Amino acid sequence: MRIGYVKNWRQVNTSTEKFEKMKKVGVEKIIVELGTNKDNYQKMLLESIESMVEKDILVIDSLDDLGDSIVDIINVVRKLDDKGLAIHVINTNVDRKFVDDWNLQRLLLKQLLLVLVWVEDKEKNEIKKRQAKGMEVIKALKDSRGSGRPKKYSQYAKDPEDREIYFNVIQMLNHDVPITKIAESLKISRNTIYTIKEEYLHNDND
């Protein structure tokens, strides 16, 4: 059986469009969430999945209907997988022959779960990287305060234009541009360039 689910706690008008789409793909029963509390809609969805039997297909308009976060969506997809169910996401525009083949729908669900888990892991890793980078910036700022006046040109410079000049100097040095030419091009002193070069080489050796 094809069972549709409409998350309707935000926009009622959109749901009418979803009803029409579901009728076109052969949905026999539609579960509608009419609550306004976003914490309750997934509870109702999970309870509805519990009442489904093996080889049923949950039909939704988009993955957003399953939850507001990737963790919520993975939770629902895992529950579908554990119960031996399949999923049909209408806005993916899957070929009709795939829609009518339960085994293919089942395979798509497993592939979807793998992709979602991969995305979740990637997001976690990106957050960790940003946190680590933030800690580096904080440490660098603390070190600069402890050693006197903060450096005007550095990768942690407060002014974005000063940071840009710093990276331009590094790039030009790496391309063997003469220091005199760099000074003329960026309108900074040769001593400043030597200081940036020395700091860069020191950090690179660390």
Side-chain angles (χ1 to χ4, degrees):
M1 176 183 287
R2 294 181 182 279
I3 300 175
Y5 173 75
V6 176
K7 184 178 74 171
N8 193 30
W9 63 276
R10 279 181 176 160
Q11 295 181 348
V12 176
N13 293 336
T14 307
S15 298
T16 303
E17 299 175 8
K18 293 181 179 180
F19 292 147
E20 295 301 321
K21 290 179 182 179
M22 289 183 180
K23 287 179 182 177
K24 290 180 180 179
V25 296
V27 168
E28 302 166 62
K29 175 183 177 183
I30 299 179
I31 299 167
V32 182
E33 174 56 61
L34 297 176
T36 57
N37 188 329
K38 71 175 184 178
D39 294 324
N40 288 339
Y41 81 81
Q42 195 176 44
K43 179 183 177 183
M44 178 180 177
L45 173 60
L46 294 174
E47 288 175 351
S48 299
I49 292 173
E50 281 296 333
S51 66
M52 296 171 70
V53 297
E54 188 175 356
K55 292 197 173 183
D56 278 349
I57 299 176
L58 179 69
V59 181
I60 55 175
D61 184 53
S62 71
L63 283 177
D64 290 338
D65 290 336
L66 298 183
D68 283 345
S69 71
I70 192 166
V71 175
D72 289 342
I73 294 172
I74 289 174
N75 184 33
V76 174
V77 175
R78 276 195 175 130
K79 197 169 187 67
L80 290 169
D81 186 38
D82 291 342
K83 288 210 66 178
L85 307 173
I87 189 171
H88 174 198
V89 185
I90 296 175
N91 70 359
T92 55
N93 296 319
V94 176
D95 191 284
R96 183 73 198 189
K97 64 182 180 181
F98 292 105
V99 173
D100 293 335
D101 190 320
W102 185 87
N103 289 320
L104 285 175
Q105 288 291 331
R106 179 80 180 139
L107 179 60
L108 288 173
L109 180 136
K110 288 185 174 294
Q111 291 179 333
L112 173 62
L113 183 56
L114 289 174
V115 172
L116 289 171
V117 171
W118 176 81
V119 171
E120 181 188 28
D121 289 341
K122 186 174 177 61
E123 284 185 353
K124 288 179 179 178
N125 290 332
E126 287 299 320
I127 290 173
K128 288 179 181 178
K129 287 179 182 178
R130 289 196 293 269
Q131 289 174 338
K133 187 66 177 177
M135 293 303 295
E136 287 180 11
V137 173
I138 292 172
K139 183 179 183 301
L141 290 173
K142 287 182 177 179
D143 291 344
S144 66
R145 291 192 188 103
S147 59
R149 190 178 67 180
K151 295 174 183 176
K152 180 174 175 61
Y153 302 108
S154 77
Q155 59 182 321
Y156 304 114
K158 185 176 181 180
D159 190 325
E161 291 184 4
D162 292 341
R163 286 199 303 273
E164 184 177 357
I165 289 174
Y166 171 85
F167 287 114
N168 284 337
V169 169
I170 298 302
Q171 186 177 24
M172 294 170 84
L173 287 172
N174 287 335
H175 285 82
D176 298 323
V177 178
I179 287 179
T180 301
K181 292 290 186 182
I182 298 175
E184 291 175 357
S185 176
L186 299 178
K187 303 293 188 296
I188 57 177
S189 70
R190 295 174 59 188
N191 286 339
T192 298
I193 297 171
Y194 283 120
T195 300
I196 292 174
K197 181 179 180 181
E198 182 180 352
E199 178 189 346
Y200 174 73
L201 292 174
H202 175 74
N203 291 337
D204 195 44
N205 290 331
D206 291 343

Short mmCIF file of all heavy atoms in Angstrom, two decimals, residues 5 9 11 14-15 23 35 41 45 56 70 84 107 118 122 125 130-131 139 143 168 174 183 187 198:
data_model
loop_
_atom_site.label_atom_id
_atom_site.label_comp_id
_atom_site.label_asym_id
_atom_site.label_seq_id
_atom_site.Cartn_x
_atom_site.Cartn_y
_atom_site.Cartn_z
N TYR A 5 2.25 10.98 3.45
CA TYR A 5 2.34 11.76 4.70
C TYR A 5 2.53 13.22 4.34
O TYR A 5 3.42 13.58 3.54
CB TYR A 5 3.51 11.29 5.55
CG TYR A 5 3.73 12.18 6.76
CD1 TYR A 5 2.88 12.11 7.86
CD2 TYR A 5 4.76 13.12 6.78
CE1 TYR A 5 3.06 12.94 8.95
CE2 TYR A 5 4.95 13.96 7.87
CZ TYR A 5 4.09 13.87 8.96
OH TYR A 5 4.26 14.70 10.03
N TRP A 9 1.98 21.56 9.46
CA TRP A 9 1.92 22.48 10.59
C TRP A 9 2.44 23.87 10.27
O TRP A 9 2.39 24.77 11.08
CB TRP A 9 2.68 21.91 11.78
CG TRP A 9 4.13 21.70 11.56
CD1 TRP A 9 4.73 20.62 10.99
CD2 TRP A 9 5.18 22.58 11.92
NE1 TRP A 9 6.08 20.78 10.96
CE2 TRP A 9 6.37 21.97 11.54
CE3 TRP A 9 5.24 23.84 12.54
CZ2 TRP A 9 7.62 22.56 11.74
CZ3 TRP A 9 6.47 24.43 12.74
CH2 TRP A 9 7.64 23.80 12.35
N GLN A 11 2.34 25.43 6.51
CA GLN A 11 1.61 26.09 5.43
C GLN A 11 0.47 25.21 4.93
O GLN A 11 0.70 24.21 4.27
CB GLN A 11 2.56 26.43 4.27
CG GLN A 11 3.62 27.44 4.65
CD GLN A 11 4.52 27.77 3.47
OE1 GLN A 11 4.50 27.10 2.45
NE2 GLN A 11 5.29 28.82 3.62
N THR A 14 0.03 24.88 0.92
CA THR A 14 0.96 23.98 0.23
C THR A 14 0.47 22.54 0.26
O THR A 14 0.72 21.76 -0.66
CB THR A 14 2.36 24.05 0.91
OG1 THR A 14 2.76 25.41 0.97
CG2 THR A 14 3.38 23.27 0.12
N SER A 15 -0.24 22.17 1.29
CA SER A 15 -0.69 20.79 1.46
C SER A 15 -1.65 20.37 0.35
O SER A 15 -1.65 19.22 -0.07
CB SER A 15 -1.38 20.62 2.82
OG SER A 15 -0.46 20.88 3.85
N LYS A 23 -2.06 11.82 -5.29
CA LYS A 23 -3.10 11.10 -6.04
C LYS A 23 -2.54 10.61 -7.37
O LYS A 23 -2.85 9.52 -7.83
CB LYS A 23 -4.29 12.02 -6.29
CG LYS A 23 -5.13 12.30 -5.03
CD LYS A 23 -6.28 13.25 -5.36
CE LYS A 23 -7.10 13.57 -4.11
NZ LYS A 23 -8.18 14.55 -4.42
N GLY A 35 -1.24 19.48 13.53
CA GLY A 35 -0.77 20.17 14.73
C GLY A 35 0.10 21.36 14.40
O GLY A 35 0.58 21.53 13.29
N TYR A 41 4.87 16.66 15.45
CA TYR A 41 4.60 16.10 14.14
C TYR A 41 5.44 14.86 13.88
O TYR A 41 4.97 13.90 13.30
CB TYR A 41 4.81 17.13 13.02
CG TYR A 41 6.25 17.33 12.60
CD1 TYR A 41 6.85 16.45 11.70
CD2 TYR A 41 6.99 18.40 13.07
CE1 TYR A 41 8.16 16.63 11.31
CE2 TYR A 41 8.30 18.57 12.69
CZ TYR A 41 8.88 17.69 11.80
OH TYR A 41 10.18 17.87 11.42
N LEU A 45 4.30 10.96 13.04
CA LEU A 45 4.84 10.28 11.87
C LEU A 45 5.40 8.92 12.26
O LEU A 45 5.12 7.90 11.61
CB LEU A 45 5.93 11.13 11.22
CG LEU A 45 6.73 10.49 10.08
CD1 LEU A 45 5.81 10.10 8.94
CD2 LEU A 45 7.80 11.45 9.59
N ASP A 56 4.83 -1.88 2.52
CA ASP A 56 4.16 -0.59 2.36
C ASP A 56 5.20 0.44 1.91
O ASP A 56 6.40 0.30 2.19
CB ASP A 56 3.52 -0.13 3.67
CG ASP A 56 2.17 -0.78 3.92
OD1 ASP A 56 1.65 -1.41 2.99
OD2 ASP A 56 1.66 -0.67 5.05
N ILE A 70 18.84 16.86 9.85
CA ILE A 70 19.26 15.62 9.22
C ILE A 70 19.18 14.46 10.20
O ILE A 70 18.93 13.31 9.83
CB ILE A 70 20.68 15.76 8.63
CG1 ILE A 70 20.97 14.56 7.72
CG2 ILE A 70 21.72 15.88 9.73
CD1 ILE A 70 22.17 14.75 6.83
N GLY A 84 11.21 -2.92 7.13
CA GLY A 84 11.08 -3.52 5.81
C GLY A 84 10.16 -2.73 4.89
O GLY A 84 9.49 -3.29 4.02
N LEU A 107 15.60 -0.56 -2.41
CA LEU A 107 17.03 -0.32 -2.63
C LEU A 107 17.35 1.17 -2.53
O LEU A 107 18.37 1.56 -1.94
CB LEU A 107 17.43 -0.85 -4.02
CG LEU A 107 18.89 -0.65 -4.43
CD1 LEU A 107 19.82 -1.37 -3.46
CD2 LEU A 107 19.12 -1.15 -5.85
N TRP A 118 26.30 9.75 5.55
CA TRP A 118 27.54 10.37 5.08
C TRP A 118 27.49 11.89 5.24
O TRP A 118 28.46 12.51 5.68
CB TRP A 118 27.76 10.01 3.60
CG TRP A 118 28.97 10.69 3.01
CD1 TRP A 118 30.27 10.31 3.14
CD2 TRP A 118 28.97 11.89 2.22
NE1 TRP A 118 31.09 11.19 2.46
CE2 TRP A 118 30.33 12.17 1.89
CE3 TRP A 118 27.97 12.74 1.75
CZ2 TRP A 118 30.69 13.26 1.12
CZ3 TRP A 118 28.34 13.83 0.98
CH2 TRP A 118 29.69 14.09 0.67
N LYS A 122 29.84 14.27 7.55
CA LYS A 122 30.57 15.38 6.94
C LYS A 122 30.28 16.68 7.67
O LYS A 122 31.18 17.48 7.92
CB LYS A 122 30.18 15.51 5.46
CG LYS A 122 31.00 16.54 4.69
CD LYS A 122 30.66 16.51 3.22
CE LYS A 122 31.41 17.60 2.46
NZ LYS A 122 32.88 17.43 2.56
N ASN A 125 32.17 16.73 10.93
CA ASN A 125 33.59 17.00 10.71
C ASN A 125 33.84 18.47 10.39
O ASN A 125 34.83 19.05 10.84
CB ASN A 125 34.13 16.12 9.57
CG ASN A 125 34.22 14.66 9.96
OD1 ASN A 125 34.37 14.33 11.13
ND2 ASN A 125 34.11 13.77 8.98
N ARG A 130 35.72 23.90 12.00
CA ARG A 130 35.46 25.31 12.29
C ARG A 130 35.76 25.65 13.74
O ARG A 130 36.28 26.73 14.04
CB ARG A 130 34.00 25.65 11.95
CG ARG A 130 33.70 25.68 10.46
CD ARG A 130 32.40 26.40 10.17
NE ARG A 130 31.26 25.67 10.68
CZ ARG A 130 30.58 24.77 10.00
NH1 ARG A 130 30.93 24.48 8.77
NH2 ARG A 130 29.54 24.17 10.51
N GLN A 131 35.42 24.72 14.64
CA GLN A 131 35.72 24.94 16.05
C GLN A 131 37.22 25.00 16.29
O GLN A 131 37.71 25.85 17.04
CB GLN A 131 35.10 23.83 16.89
CG GLN A 131 33.59 23.89 16.98
CD GLN A 131 32.99 22.70 17.71
OE1 GLN A 131 33.61 21.63 17.80
NE2 GLN A 131 31.78 22.87 18.23
N LYS A 139 43.52 31.80 20.13
CA LYS A 139 44.87 31.65 20.68
C LYS A 139 45.82 32.69 20.10
O LYS A 139 46.62 33.31 20.82
CB LYS A 139 45.41 30.25 20.40
CG LYS A 139 46.79 29.98 21.01
CD LYS A 139 47.23 28.56 20.72
CE LYS A 139 48.58 28.27 21.38
NZ LYS A 139 49.65 29.19 20.94
N ASP A 143 47.77 35.55 22.07
CA ASP A 143 49.23 35.65 21.99
C ASP A 143 49.66 37.04 21.55
O ASP A 143 50.64 37.60 22.07
CB ASP A 143 49.78 34.61 21.01
CG ASP A 143 49.64 33.20 21.54
OD1 ASP A 143 49.40 33.05 22.75
OD2 ASP A 143 49.75 32.24 20.73
N ASN A 168 48.22 38.40 0.03
CA ASN A 168 48.77 38.80 -1.27
C ASN A 168 50.30 38.80 -1.24
O ASN A 168 50.94 38.39 -2.21
CB ASN A 168 48.26 40.18 -1.67
CG ASN A 168 46.81 40.15 -2.15
OD1 ASN A 168 46.32 39.11 -2.59
ND2 ASN A 168 46.14 41.29 -2.07
N ASN A 174 55.74 33.63 -2.90
CA ASN A 174 55.79 32.25 -3.39
C ASN A 174 56.00 32.17 -4.90
O ASN A 174 56.46 31.15 -5.41
CB ASN A 174 54.51 31.49 -3.02
CG ASN A 174 54.45 31.17 -1.54
OD1 ASN A 174 55.48 31.06 -0.87
ND2 ASN A 174 53.24 31.01 -1.00
N ALA A 183 56.27 45.81 -2.78
CA ALA A 183 56.06 47.05 -2.02
C ALA A 183 55.36 48.11 -2.87
O ALA A 183 54.44 48.79 -2.41
CB ALA A 183 57.41 47.58 -1.51
N LYS A 187 51.60 49.01 -1.98
CA LYS A 187 51.74 50.28 -1.25
C LYS A 187 52.08 50.06 0.24
O LYS A 187 51.49 50.68 1.12
CB LYS A 187 50.45 51.10 -1.36
CG LYS A 187 50.00 51.42 -2.77
CD LYS A 187 50.97 52.34 -3.47
CE LYS A 187 50.43 52.82 -4.82
NZ LYS A 187 50.24 51.78 -5.81
N GLU A 198 59.28 36.73 7.27
CA GLU A 198 59.91 36.06 8.41
C GLU A 198 58.87 35.31 9.24
O GLU A 198 59.10 34.16 9.64
CB GLU A 198 60.64 37.10 9.27
CG GLU A 198 61.37 36.49 10.46
CD GLU A 198 62.08 37.54 11.30
OE1 GLU A 198 62.14 38.72 10.87
OE2 GLU A 198 62.58 37.19 12.38
#
